[in-house]
Every structure is written in C-alpha cells, then in structure tokens.
C-alpha cells in the first residue's frame, strides 16, 4: 500500500517522501495553517511528525497513510492529505488534510478529498469516513459539506490551542 499513487485531473497524491518534507514541516510550524488544529509544532516536533507520517503502511496499520499532494503539471507541492483506519472491524476511517495557504481556494483540497474518499471506499473497503475540524474553521467546514460530509457531533473542549479549549465538529461520510 505504501507504493499507492493516486491521480486526479490536476494532482498526484503519493505517499510522503523526502520531497514532501520541507512543506510538511513548514505547514506544521505555520501558526496560520495550524490555527484551527493544534499549537504550531517546533522544528523537532514537525520533523518527528514527518517521520511518523512517512512510515511504511498497509491495510492492517493503525497509523496514518499520508499522501503528499503535488500539482501534476508543475511538480509544485500543494500540501498533504491522510487517511487512518480507526476501526478495522467496523470499517471506519478518518481523513485529515493540510494545504499550503497560497494553494488554498483553487479546488485542490476538494479534488484530493474526492480521490481519497474513493480510495478509502473502493480499495480500503471502509464504510464510513470521519473528519474532525474546529467549529471556527469555516473553510474546512465548507469543504467537508461540499464533499458530502454531514455534521454528526460537536466535540466539546476537544483540543487545547494557545491554552484555550476549542470545540470541534465531527463530520461523517458514508457511501
């Protein structure tokens, strides 16, 4: 599975490799990008995160399968999108994504999410995908709803960012 490469009209989604490392670290350390996720990472935390997200993966894994998102025509890095199987018996997974701010608003996240959803259901045989996002993250909320995800729950005080407890929405998608 770690060799799986997914394609869309404009994008190539490939498991993280060294060519994705600098953008991955940059996104994890960027206060604007991480505003609704977590506190920005230190360099050491971001490097450790890259190592964890770029490990070999198979269908029995309990870790994230993280794809670097690249513009196929230009080779420019866009961000990353990941899927994790939360419950192997019930076939439930979770999806998450981070995009370079200068690449947002171009439909790349929608295109990548659509492809990862298809992969999750057709190849990984998942029956449900979840996504968690801050109740204040209007861009991700719009993206998830446009992609067919339904708000299923409010997770009170789900994460602490800058010392403040933040509520998240849990979204779900079932084919």
């Amino acid at each position: 599975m770690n060799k799986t490469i997914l394609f869309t009209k404009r994008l190539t989604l490939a498991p993280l490799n060294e060519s994705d490392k600098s953008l991955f670290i940059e996104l994890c350390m960027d206060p604007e990008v991480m505003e609704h996720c977590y506190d920005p990472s230190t360099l050491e935390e971001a490097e450790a995160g890259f190592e964890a997200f770029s490990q070999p993966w198979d269908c029995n894994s309990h870790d994230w399968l993280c794809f670097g998102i690249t513009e196929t025509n230009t080779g420019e890095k866009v961000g990353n999108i990941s899927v994790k199987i939360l419950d192997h018996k019930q076939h439930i997974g979770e999806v998450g994504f981070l995009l370079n701010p200068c690449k947002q608003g171009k439909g790349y996240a929608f295109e990548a999410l659509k492809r990862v959803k298809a992969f999750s259901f057709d190849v990984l045989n998942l029956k449900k995908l979840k996504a968690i996002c801050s109740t204040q993250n209007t861009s991700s909320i719009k993206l998830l709803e446009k992609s067919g995800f339904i708000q299923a729950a409010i997770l009170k005080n789900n994460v602490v960012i800058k010392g403040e407890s933040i509520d998240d929405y849990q979204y779900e998608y079932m084919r």
Side-chain angles (χ1 to χ4, degrees), residues 31-50:
E32 179 186 336
V33 172
M34 299 309 292
E35 176 183 14
H36 298 294
C37 303
Y38 305 101
D39 286 329
S41 298
T42 64
L43 177 60
E44 295 77 23
E45 291 167 340
E47 287 174 338
F50 178 81

Side-chain angles (χ1 to χ4, degrees), residues 8-19:
T8 72
K9 182 178 177 184
R10 302 178 296 163
L11 304 172
T12 302
L13 285 63
L16 283 186
N17 62 57
E18 283 299 311
S19 71

Side-chain angles (χ1 to χ4, degrees), residues 1 4-9 11-16 53 57 63-70 79-85 91-99 107-131 143-144 147 149 173-175:
M1 271 304 155
T4 300
I5 298 176
L6 309 175
F7 298 96
T8 72
K9 182 178 177 184
L11 304 172
T12 302
L13 285 63
L16 283 186
F53 275 81
W57 190 93
D63 297 316
W64 291 94
L65 169 57
C66 188
F67 295 97
I69 306 169
T70 306
N80 59 72
I81 187 164
S82 306
V83 63
K84 177 180 184 176
I85 301 174
H91 304 276
I92 299 171
E94 182 176 352
V95 66
F97 42 84
L98 290 176
L99 255 63
Y108 291 141
F110 178 77
E111 197 171 316
L113 182 55
K114 181 178 179 180
R115 184 64 186 94
V116 168
K117 280 179 9 189
F119 170 78
S120 297
F121 289 93
D122 298 341
V123 177
L124 301 181
N125 298 312
L126 296 181
K127 295 181 175 155
K128 180 190 293 185
L129 269 179
K130 295 181 180 185
L143 170 64
L144 291 168
S147 299
F149 282 79
Y173 179 88
M174 294 185 342
R175 186 185 271 176

Side-chain angles (χ1 to χ4, degrees), residues 52-65:
F53 275 81
S54 59
Q55 290 299 308
W57 190 93
D58 65 43
C59 290
N60 298 311
S61 180
H62 294 279
D63 297 316
W64 291 94
L65 169 57

